[in-house]
């Protein structure tokens, strides 16, 4: 298994869906999940089954998905605190007096946050950064934003390597970190990294201008998605919309 960024490079039906279709599908699915009333528990169970089926179809290892779910940790901590700090009527849970609205709010954050993060993981693990940029371009994102994002993807590793070399050089001169007095050295390193990156950006821009750059990048993709690909890619998202509508009707 090899990767390009967060991509898990395997062959699956989900990987073959064009990036613009997956971007629209993610947006529609998340919108449906967020609009679902928190008290309609069965709807979130159906969403979870749908996502698990999509992850299985994409042949993503469970370890990869679970490891990337760690990004949700701050939301989990916030959700676990809600039952203790929220006001309103209290309920007894395992001998603890918890806020009823806080418990529902915690469930709301955990359920919707987890579903949204898993959907985003599915997108990032099945689509390369270049394909994502091409998809955004096909969705008519402003060309300037696409160019900025493409340079960010291209030079993020370069800046990271600069930062690593500066850290090694700093530590080879006796820096160990952990003391307030060393903040000056860290601040100096950050400033030097910014100046170096800014100067590199100027050199890259001049090199591009000398090669005929006029302010618009070449198209990343000229191939669109077929009707069958749109239908296949949006199937789960449209089903999620139907579930969200049904859940709101039940909640009334």
């Amino acid at each position: 298994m090899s990767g390009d960024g967060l991509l898990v490079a395997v062959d699956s039906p989900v990987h073959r869906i064009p990036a613009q279709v997956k971007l629209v599908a993610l947006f529609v699915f998340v919108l449906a999940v967020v609009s679902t009333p928190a008290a309609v528990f069965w709807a979130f169970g159906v969403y979870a089954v749908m996502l698990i089926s999509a992850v299985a179809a994409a042949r993503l290892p469970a370890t990869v998905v679970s490891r990337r779910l760690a990004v949700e940790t701050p939301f989990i901590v916030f959700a676990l605190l809600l039952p203790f700090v929220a006001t309103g009527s209290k309920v007894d849970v395992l001998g603890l007096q918890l806020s009823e609205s806080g418990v529902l709010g915690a469930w709301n954050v955990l359920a919707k946050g987890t579903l949204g993060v898993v959907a985003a993981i599915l997108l990032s693990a099945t689509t390369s950064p270049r394909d994502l940029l091409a998809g955004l371009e096909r969705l008519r994102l402003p060309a300037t934003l696409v160019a900025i994002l493409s340079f960010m993807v291209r030079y993020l590793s370069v800046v990271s390597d600069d930062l690593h070399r500066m850290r090694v050089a700093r530590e080879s001169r006796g820096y160990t970190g952990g003391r307030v007095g060393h903040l000056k050295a860290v601040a100096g390193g950050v400033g030097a990294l910014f100046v170096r990156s800014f100067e590199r950006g100027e050199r890259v821009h001049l090199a591009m201008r000398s090669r005929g750059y006029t302010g618009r990048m070449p198209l990343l993709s000229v191939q669109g998605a077929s009707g069958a690909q749109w239908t296949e890619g949006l199937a789960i998202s449209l089903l999620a919309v139907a579930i969200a509508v049904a859940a709101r009707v039940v909640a009334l």
Side-chain angles (χ1 to χ4, degrees):
M1 182 176 65
S2 61
D4 179 8
L6 298 176
L7 175 68
V8 178
V10 298
D11 184 33
S12 76
V14 182
H15 283 74
R16 292 191 290 269
I17 296 174
Q20 62 267 28
V21 178
K22 287 186 277 191
L23 286 166
V24 174
L26 174 65
F27 176 78
V28 174
F29 180 82
V30 171
L31 189 64
V33 170
V34 170
S35 63
T36 303
V40 185
F41 303 111
W42 62 265
F44 296 97
V46 177
Y47 294 146
V49 171
M50 292 162 56
L51 273 184
I52 292 172
S53 301
V55 169
R59 298 171 56 192
L60 300 181
T63 53
V64 171
V65 177
S66 59
R67 186 169 63 249
R68 295 182 183 181
L69 272 173
V71 72
E72 192 190 8
T73 302
F75 298 97
I76 295 176
V77 174
F78 172 74
L80 293 178
L81 290 176
L82 273 178
F84 298 95
V85 299
T87 58
S89 58
K90 302 291 183 179
V91 293
D92 185 73
V93 179
L94 300 177
L96 298 175
Q97 292 294 316
L98 304 179
S99 168
E100 186 174 355
S101 61
V103 171
L104 185 61
W107 158 256
N108 189 46
V109 172
L110 284 175
K112 295 181 179 180
T114 302
L115 291 170
V117 171
V118 173
I121 291 172
L122 180 63
L123 172 67
S124 63
T126 59
T127 317
S128 68
R130 187 186 186 282
D131 288 340
L132 281 175
L133 292 173
L136 292 172
E137 188 176 65
R138 294 292 304 177
L139 293 174
R140 300 293 188 268
L141 191 74
T144 302
L145 289 180
V146 175
I148 291 173
L149 289 172
S150 64
F151 282 119
M152 182 189 72
V153 171
R154 169 63 182 85
Y155 287 100
L156 183 61
S157 61
V158 177
V159 175
S160 297
D161 289 342
D162 280 347
L163 183 62
H164 175 70
R165 286 192 293 269
M166 292 171 66
R167 182 177 64 82
V168 171
R170 190 168 59 237
E171 292 177 355
S172 68
R173 289 163 175 78
Y175 174 82
T176 58
R179 290 189 295 176
V180 177
H182 290 162
L183 291 177
K184 182 178 179 180
V186 175
V190 172
L193 181 63
F194 173 79
V195 172
R196 181 179 299 182
S197 301
F198 183 81
E199 291 177 345
R200 178 182 286 113
E202 287 189 325
R203 291 194 300 271
V204 170
H205 182 256
L206 289 175
M208 292 172 62
R209 290 292 298 272
S210 67
R211 289 164 174 79
Y213 176 69
T214 59
R216 184 176 180 85
M217 299 291 289
L219 291 177
L220 292 169
S221 173
V222 295
Q223 183 178 2
S226 66
Q229 288 174 320
W230 277 104
T231 301
E232 180 184 8
L234 293 178
I236 289 181
S237 297
L238 295 178
L239 179 58
V241 171
I243 293 171
V245 172
R248 296 193 71 86
V249 171
V250 171
L252 293 177

